[in-house]
Amino acid sequence: MSISEKDVLRVAHLARIRVSSDELEDYQEGLSGILSLVEQMHDCDTDGVEPMAHPQDIQLRLREDQVTEPDQRDAMQKSAPQVDEGLYLVPRVIE
Amino acid sequence: MEFECVIGLEVHAQLMTQSKIFSGSSTAYGASANTQACAVDVGLPGVLPVMNRQAALMAATFGLAVGATVNPVSIFARKNYFYPDLPKGYQISQYEIPVVSGGSLEITTDAGSKTIRITRAHLEEDAGKSLHEDFDGMTGIDLNRAGTPLLEIVSEPDLRSPAEAVAYLKKLHTLVRTLKICDGNMQEGSFRCDANVSIRPRGETTLGTRTELKNINSFRFVERALYHEIDRQISVVETGGAIVQETRLYDPDADLTRPMRGKEEAHDYRYFPDPDLPPLVIDEADLALVRSQLPELPDARQARFVAQHELSEDDAAQLTGQSEIADYFESAVEHAQGESRLTANWINGELMSWLNKNDIGISDSPVTPAMLGQLICRIQDKTVSGKIAKQVFAALWEGENDGDVDALIQSRGLTQITDTDAIAQAVNDVIAGFPDQAEQVRAGEEKVIGFLVGQVMKATSGKANPQAVNELLKKQLLD
Amino acid sequence: MLHEHTLTALRDMLRRREISSTELTQHCLDRIAKHSDLNAFVTLDESGAMAAAAVADKQLASGEADLLTGVPIAHKDIFCTRGVLTTCGSKMLENFVSPYDATVVERFHQAGSVTIGKTNMDEFAMGSSNETSFFGSVKNPWDPDRVPGGSSGGSAAAVAACLVAGATGTDTGGSIRQPAAFCGLTGLKPSYGRVSRYGMIAFASSLDQGGPITRNAEDAALMLQCMAGFDPRDSTSINAPAPDMATLLGAQVRGLKLGLPKEFFDTSVDAEVLEKVRESLAVLERLGATLVDVSLPNSPAGIPCYYVIAPAEASSNLSRFDGVRFGHRSEHAEELVDLYENSRAEGFGEEVKRRILIGTYALSAGYYDAYYLKAQKIRRVIAQDFETAFEQCDVIVGPTSPTTAFPLGAKTQNPVAMYLNDIFTNTVNLAGLPGLSVPCGFDTAGLPVGLQLIGKFMDEASLLSTAHQLQQETDWHQRMPAEY
């Protein structure tokens, strides 16, 4: 199974990872190799099998509705690349 | 060609929990930027979500109230997309199995009553806010709202006019407020609406290509945005064009809809079950608890008001349109010694007009249910006339006499003149003072009697009982 | 020599006040500096460690010793540590200082241990050789031209070279057990949910589990006692108390049925590895265990299944590294899309990007059913295989890895060849079971071989007890690399 250049670029954009034109072939080769490995899944018969999302059969534990977290803005923003007036800054977003 | 529109609504109702859906941060509105965003809300490396029980119970409450199935097991999934106000790069939502499936709401418009089916309601986390004010040409991100619990309520495309859409939205708004699961504050974004709109030739059964309208966050905007969008779609089709499936924004200032620029590309959300959250289980015991705490629902209350308080359907519908108004009414009736119809008239009339004029909600009314009830009693026992009562009401609104109705009537000397001698004196004075008009009445022009009543009322500063004045005038002039 | 003692022995020596924590901590720091060529550590916290050692010495003096008071340990750099860099082996987090401690880190603090530093690892735990680290590869103390295994390679190298007596690791598809095997150590991946994942930077959330890497089973039990237990901050944490050391080591090998899956003893495994595994099983047989043949028929599907589920979850888990709130931000970020695409292209290494792309592909529209859903179904089939096998045995045994440590660079150009290292380990993560690697001999090149023990859900005790009793009869775990 091989993956097309177009698919590599589609997936790279979905994942927001820049793939330059000179990297494209390497990715295409690498991903195709992995897909060939992954394709071996189809030898395994799973008719009528329920998908398994969690390794344990447990139900969600719920917490009481209480405010337990005080303001920690300074601590949270210590490693932030760019903040101003307590806001995280990003290049202008156009709606 | 005649077209009909097909509308489905997606309502995001913020649940009124104290803390966020997956963290212990406060959900209070209006705090300084990012002061209510803990490690979980910021999506720091390594953090994990822990679900708020109250949010689950509130979703179940909604499900029971609309006659839906509250699914015993529902699944949280990740909706993956990049946006600066979405900290983790995915939103925790529900996809394949939501907490609530089915249900419906009855709406009434000028076209009559109709059942609007609800497809589903699912739990999810709200995103933060992008502030586009100028930060040296950058956008600022505030994550205080990130992680606020949302119930997304999706209707079937059963709505056929903007009026129906508004009726449905108002009904839902009343319901979530009655259930005390959402404060319904549209300005603060607690109750938000997106609409899916398409048109088709009347009689056609397949659905046309739809557009999604965002940012329609007041009842007025909903109606206008929908009208504009339907008009736009019709003119596109009539000029031989095709509707493009897209997301459009309603711009209330320009009063038009336009395509969103930022989110043009096709979405591929790559939903999958969130491995951090095992299935949400709502069992019979939870449901029994929720059921036992379910308040009287608006429809039931309306029916009860008609039956118990002998109100008209219209009056009852108006009163139960907001649970706070219905509560006000029931409290006022008690103070009015059960005089329900007059109380209803006063609330739907005078009180509403004062509230609207001052742009405040009924919970903030300076005239309390006790004051209004007391005033109704004074009308009933003829201490004041209906007209004078309006003066009393205005004074109560201004806070005179600390809201003591009787003291206010006393101090202003507004007590109705019931003393027949005093009224007779005034009547005789008016007959003497307006001989021409008196003669006209005697000659059979009975309509002129109204003029004379008015003069007597004026002479008594409105305190005379108009009915008594009328009777006395007739006796004097016609007998 | 002081550093040659086990974790348990050092703990007891501290309690008896034969040594001080300050002395021991300084000794570890000196050795780490001396053997910096191993590249086992990303960050050292010398001042923090010495301060903690001083506090520990006061407690020891006043007789208030807790479980691990004064014992130096190291954390894999995937665990968040307040005030100390947490890089996850990535340029993306080169400068990230966590404002909070992971639950595991907190528990070791509470138990009185001294955190000496953060160990090197494959970037975001994606690798089986520790060669994907942004901070360079780690060398295997048994042969510096070979890999220590991965992704917890720094922890394994540090313990094998006696730089520290115990270190934490994490295991998503074998990342504790395989480096333990390659470095001649005991490494335990607990049952899923046994150890809190809070503060452990997620790779594949439904597979990740933290655990100890130590020199023997006794130490692993001691560390597990400290790490394990219910954590309300992790919704997948199992509500069971941490088992104590005595319980973990007290189970009997006599009468224990050891299942040998025929799929784990086939010709793809290095002959010397198989030979050493069989020899150690013979020892266990002498101790009263019985060997039974079992089958895990769907295990060949394990690798393909794992390489869908793990990257799929990772693609989502790693979306938060976007250059907005923390982590690397590209200088080339005029537009929002550049901020995202360049920050992530620059901040992540090749293997991480490859896995994010594969995972994104497997979840994307039109491929979900064929890849992700199919993998989830295989996951159940694999879990059911284990259940069936456990009807006939108490513990499943086999090699941890098909080979011993391979040379640095041998597999870096071939991701698929690298992935096949996990062939015996990753099905255990898919099923959520506990797995342990214990030293069982050396090949002719003098490299350690690991025996893997796989237990029933929550039955770490059988694994640790079996390993412990094996270690009473053998001395593989006591051998040390000559250079260190």
Side-chain angles (χ1 to χ4, degrees), chain C residues 134-402:
Chain C
F134 175 67
F135 302 97
S137 50
V138 176
K139 295 179 172 60
N140 189 323
W142 292 95
D143 177 352
D145 293 328
R146 291 179 184 266
V147 303
S151 65
S152 311
S155 287
V159 177
C162 298
L163 309 183
V164 65
T168 55
T170 60
D171 189 318
T172 305
S175 282
I176 287 175
R177 290 160 288 161
Q178 185 251 24
F182 280 15
C183 292
L185 301 170
T186 304
L188 172 68
K189 181 205 91 77
S191 307
Y192 185 83
R194 183 67 109 171
V195 171
S196 169
R197 293 185 298 113
Y198 189 80
M200 198 175 102
I201 298 176
F203 160 15
S205 312
S206 77
L207 303 165
D208 296 342
Q209 192 53 201
I213 296 179
T214 54
R215 298 245 298 284
N216 65 20
E218 192 180 33
D219 288 358
L222 177 59
M223 279 184 74
L224 183 66
Q225 181 183 344
C226 178
M227 293 170 88
F230 177 65
D231 180 7
R233 288 180 296 190
D234 175 358
S235 299
T236 60
S237 170
I238 289 170
N239 199 349
D244 64 27
M245 229 178 135
T247 309
L248 288 170
L249 297 172
Q252 281 303 310
V253 167
R254 180 159 303 283
L256 204 66
K257 279 188 238 157
L258 305 180
L260 284 65
K262 61 173 189 270
E263 296 78 8
F264 285 15
F265 289 83
D266 71 6
T267 50
S268 68
V269 185
D270 181 273
E272 282 194 87
V273 168
L274 272 192
E275 185 192 319
K276 300 299 162 194
V277 165
R278 287 190 193 282
E279 281 173 17
S280 64
L281 292 178
V283 174
L284 290 171
E285 228 178 346
R286 280 206 304 278
L287 290 171
T290 49
L291 305 186
V292 294
D293 289 328
V294 296
S295 176
L296 299 169
N298 292 291
S299 52
I303 289 262
C305 168
Y306 175 87
Y307 279 97
V308 170
I309 289 175
E313 292 184 12
S315 71
S316 176
N317 283 332
L318 270 61
S319 291
R320 70 188 60 201
F321 303 103
D322 58 5
V324 175
R325 297 162 316 285
F326 46 78
H328 177 74
R329 173 181 283 205
S330 174
E331 311 234 319
H332 310 287
E334 290 301 308
E335 304 278 333
L336 184 64
V337 67
D338 302 325
L339 167 67
Y340 285 145
E341 295 196 344
N342 292 335
S343 298
R344 290 165 61 78
E346 294 163 15
F348 292 138
E350 292 309 303
E351 180 60 20
V352 171
K353 286 193 264 192
R354 204 154 35 224
R355 294 204 198 184
I356 291 174
L357 295 181
I358 274 293
T360 304
Y361 183 80
L363 289 173
S364 69
Y367 298 94
Y368 182 88
D369 287 3
Y371 291 101
Y372 184 74
L373 205 63
K374 176 76 182 177
Q376 279 205 323
K377 289 178 181 173
I378 294 180
R379 185 173 189 174
R380 185 169 303 278
V381 168
I382 285 170
Q384 284 166 348
D385 274 1
F386 277 112
E387 273 176 45
T388 308
F390 278 126
E391 285 167 11
Q392 299 164 63
C393 63
D394 305 300
V395 170
I396 290 171
V397 294
T400 304
S401 176

Side-chain angles (χ1 to χ4, degrees), chain B residues 344-356:
Chain B
N345 288 342
W346 270 80
I347 292 173
N348 288 336
E350 195 70 6
L351 177 61
M352 277 306 135
S353 100
W354 279 86
L355 292 173
N356 291 339

Side-chain angles (χ1 to χ4, degrees), chain B residues 238-432:
Chain B
E238 282 181 340
T239 53
I243 305 300
V244 182
Q245 183 163 351
E246 62 184 354
T247 303
R248 299 179 69 87
L249 268 182
Y250 175 65
D251 180 342
D253 297 326
D255 197 18
L256 49 78
T257 69
R258 59 170 170 85
M260 272 181 95
R261 277 177 287 170
K263 290 187 176 175
E264 285 157 300
E265 58 191 285
H267 285 303
D268 184 349
Y269 290 126
R270 291 158 284 138
Y271 282 100
F272 73 103
D274 192 329
D276 289 331
L277 294 162
L280 169 64
V281 173
I282 295 180
D283 60 19
E284 269 311 313
D286 297 326
L287 285 183
L289 174 74
V290 168
R291 205 174 278 119
S292 72
Q293 292 170 350
L294 217 52
E296 185 181 27
L297 299 181
D299 285 351
R301 203 169 192 186
Q302 183 179 333
R304 179 167 65 78
F305 280 11
V306 170
Q308 181 188 334
H309 294 302
E310 302 175 318
L311 301 183
S312 70
E313 286 286 349
D314 275 359
D315 277 347
Q318 272 197 60
L319 291 172
T320 52
Q322 260 186 47
S323 58
E324 291 87 346
I325 298 177
D327 292 344
Y328 187 105
F329 166 75
E330 295 213 271
S331 169
V333 166
E334 227 166 273
H335 288 96
Q337 294 172 340
E339 182 43 54
S340 55
R341 277 197 251 181
L342 192 54
T343 306
N345 288 342
W346 270 80
I347 292 173
N348 288 336
E350 195 70 6
L351 177 61
M352 277 306 135
S353 100
W354 279 86
L355 292 173
N356 291 339
K357 218 163 32 195
N358 290 279
D359 197 23
I360 57 172
I362 198 161
S363 329
D364 300 320
S365 168
V367 179
T368 64
M371 294 180 207
L372 183 64
Q374 187 70 10
L375 182 56
I376 302 288
C377 289
R378 295 293 85 85
I379 299 169
Q380 276 303 103
D381 66 14
K382 299 194 163 58
T383 305
V384 293
S385 66
K387 196 167 172 195
I388 291 293
K390 289 190 180 180
Q391 288 180 37
V392 177
F393 187 93
L396 288 171
W397 188 277
E398 299 304 332
E400 283 184 30
N401 291 75
D402 294 329
D404 184 331
V405 173
D406 289 336
L408 199 149
I409 292 171
Q410 277 299 323
S411 69
R412 288 198 151 201
L414 294 173
T415 310
Q416 186 161 253
I417 303 166
T418 45
D419 174 359
T420 29
D421 289 347
I423 296 174
Q425 183 60 49
V427 165
N428 289 335
D429 290 351
V430 166
I431 291 172

Side-chain angles (χ1 to χ4, degrees), chain A residues 7-19:
Chain A
D7 264 348
V8 174
L9 291 172
R10 174 182 67 89
V11 169
H13 181 61
L14 269 181
R16 294 295 185 277
I17 293 174
R18 176 91 66 228
V19 171

